[in-house]
Amino acid sequence: MIRAMPLDPSRLDRAFALVAGQVAEGRSHASALGVATAARTLRVEAFGAEGIKVEPESLFLLASITKPIVATAVMQLVEEGRLVLSEPLQRYLPAFSPEPAEPGLPGAEVVTTWHILTHSSGLEDVPLEQLAMEQPDRQELLRRACTGRLRFVPGTRYEYGSNSFYLLAELIEQLGRRPFADQLRERLFEPLGMVDTRFDASGAGARTAPVRGIGLEGERLAMGLHYLAALELPGGGLWGTAEDLLRFGRAMLRGGELDGARVLAPSSVALMTRLHTADLLEPGTPPRRPNYGLGWALPGLGGGLPASGRSFGHSGATGTMLLVDPEHDLVVVFLRNEWDADPFLSDAVIQAVYGAVLPPG
C-alpha cells in the first residue's frame, strides 16, 4: 500500500539548484534529475556545461541500471512458469559448464539463476579495460561466462559482476524464443511507454548526451560507442532518458503496473526487492555485508542514504542512479555520462531530494 505523498514540490528547488551548481562548477559536464510519485512525474530538468546542449529528453548511458531492467524480464519468465530461480542453469542452458574453483568442489551443476541475480555465482567478470583491449563480441562474452573457472563455490559469497548477465540474456532469448533486445522492447519498454530506452543510441542524434571519462574522443569515441551498442551489454549497456527511467521506477513502485499495463505481479516485485544476501560477505578490507535483492540494490539498508528500509534502486558506473522508495511514494532518477564517476555527486543530490520529503500531517 503506497502512502499519500509526503513531499513538498516547491522544496525540490534546492535539489535542482544543486545539480545546476555541480555542472556550473565543472564537476559534471551533463546531468539530468527527475522526481516522480506513483501517480505522476513531478519534475525533470537537465543541465549542460557551456557548449554542451542537454535537455530533459536527452539520452544517457544508464550503465548498471540495466541490471534491474533485465532482471524484470527474467522475472516475467518466472511468472509464466518457464523458469525456476532455484534450478541449475544447466537445465536451461546445457552449454553452461564452468570449472569449479578447485577440483572436487561444487561447480556448474549448482549454479542457478538466483546466484546470477544476487552476484553470488562465482563467475569471473570481464573488466571494461579488457573489453577495450580485446574487443570480444557478444558470443565470445557468453562463451566466457559458460566456460570460465568459478572463483568460489556458488552461494558462499557476494562478488559484483556484469558479464554473468549474458547468461540471463541467453535465458530470455532461449525461453522466450525471440531476440533478447526485442523481448525487452516488446514486453517492457513499449508497455511502460519507455520510448527512448535502447542499446544503440546512435539514432537519437543530438539528443544523446556526450560521454566523458573513457579516454576516447572524436571518431575513436564514436567507434567505441558503436562497439558497445553491438555488445547489447545486459549488465550495463542500455541508454535512456530520465522520463523513461521514472516510468520504470513508477511501475515498480505501483507493484508492476503503470497506466493499465502490467509487466509484473506485485508478488514478483516484492520478491525482487527483499534482502537476499543477508548470509553473504563481500571481500574487502574489512569485508562488508552487501544489501542486494534480485537485480536490485537496497540502499536504505546500508545507512548511507536517507532512503527508507523498503527502498530499492541501482547505480551505474557513469554516475547514474535510480531510487524507488515505497515508504515515501518517491522515485528519483539522477543521470550523468561520466565513466567511473564519483558517487558523491549522486548521493548529494539524493539527499537534497529527501530534504523535500516532509512527515505526513
Side-chain angles (χ1 to χ4, degrees), residues 271-327:
L271 177 62
M272 294 179 74
T273 58
R274 76 184 191 209
L275 181 62
H276 284 256
T277 56
D279 298 326
L280 302 178
L281 285 177
E282 182 177 14
T285 308
R288 74 178 188 96
R289 197 166 295 282
N291 298 307
Y292 211 82
L294 298 179
W296 287 103
L298 308 176
L301 299 181
L305 288 173
S308 77
R310 295 176 57 203
S311 67
F312 51 95
H314 217 289
S315 60
T318 48
T320 55
M321 181 68 179
L322 165 64
L323 192 149
V324 182
D325 194 335
E327 183 72 19

Side-chain angles (χ1 to χ4, degrees), residues 210-233:
V211 179
R212 298 284 187 270
I214 57 175
L216 300 176
E217 300 290 341
E219 185 176 341
R220 291 184 65 216
L221 176 59
M223 292 174 61
L225 294 178
H226 178 75
Y227 168 65
L228 186 67
L231 290 179
E232 293 184 343
L233 287 169

Side-chain angles (χ1 to χ4, degrees), residues 12-13 15-17 19-20 31-35 41-48 54-57 60 242 246 333-335:
L12 286 171
D13 290 348
F16 283 88
V19 179
S31 296
L33 174 63
V35 182
T41 294
L42 296 178
R43 186 171 172 180
V44 179
E45 291 185 24
F47 307 88
V54 183
E55 300 176 338
E57 297 79 20
F60 288 77
L246 287 174
V333 169
F334 180 65
L335 301 179

Side-chain angles (χ1 to χ4, degrees), residues 59-201:
L59 277 73
F60 288 77
L61 181 56
L62 305 181
S64 284
I65 297 177
T66 305
K67 289 182 173 71
I69 294 174
V70 171
T72 300
V74 170
M75 293 304 295
Q76 289 179 323
L77 298 173
V78 172
E79 286 190 354
E80 293 164 356
R82 304 189 199 191
L83 175 67
V84 176
L85 292 176
S86 58
E87 282 295 305
L89 273 172
Q90 286 183 328
R91 176 183 288 272
Y92 307 101
L93 303 177
F96 179 71
S97 56
E99 298 180 19
E102 295 179 19
L105 292 178
E109 71 280 1
V110 300
V111 178
T112 67
T113 308
W114 182 89
H115 288 126
I116 306 295
L117 290 170
T118 57
H119 299 284
S120 61
S121 66
L123 290 163
E124 188 168 12
D125 205 19
V126 179
L128 179 65
E129 297 78 13
Q130 191 173 344
L131 281 180
M133 289 178 57
E134 300 176 7
Q135 296 199 351
D137 61 17
R138 291 172 56 197
Q139 288 305 309
E140 171 61 15
L141 290 171
L142 175 63
R143 186 195 69 78
R144 293 185 189 186
C146 284
T147 60
R149 183 184 298 275
L150 297 178
R151 290 173 51 81
F152 53 86
V153 175
T156 61
R157 75 181 194 225
Y158 175 97
E159 196 167 275
Y160 184 85
S162 293
N163 197 60
S164 59
F165 270 57
Y166 269 109
L167 295 166
L168 302 183
E170 185 68 7
L171 278 174
I172 292 168
E173 190 152 313
Q174 293 297 323
L175 298 179
R177 298 182 178 85
R178 294 194 309 288
F180 160 65
D182 288 352
Q183 292 193 64
L184 290 186
R185 185 183 68 252
E186 295 164 6
R187 306 192 67 187
L188 280 176
F189 304 154
E190 290 178 354
L192 295 181
M194 298 168 65
V195 296
D196 287 312
T197 307
R198 62 193 76 173
F199 284 107
D200 186 355

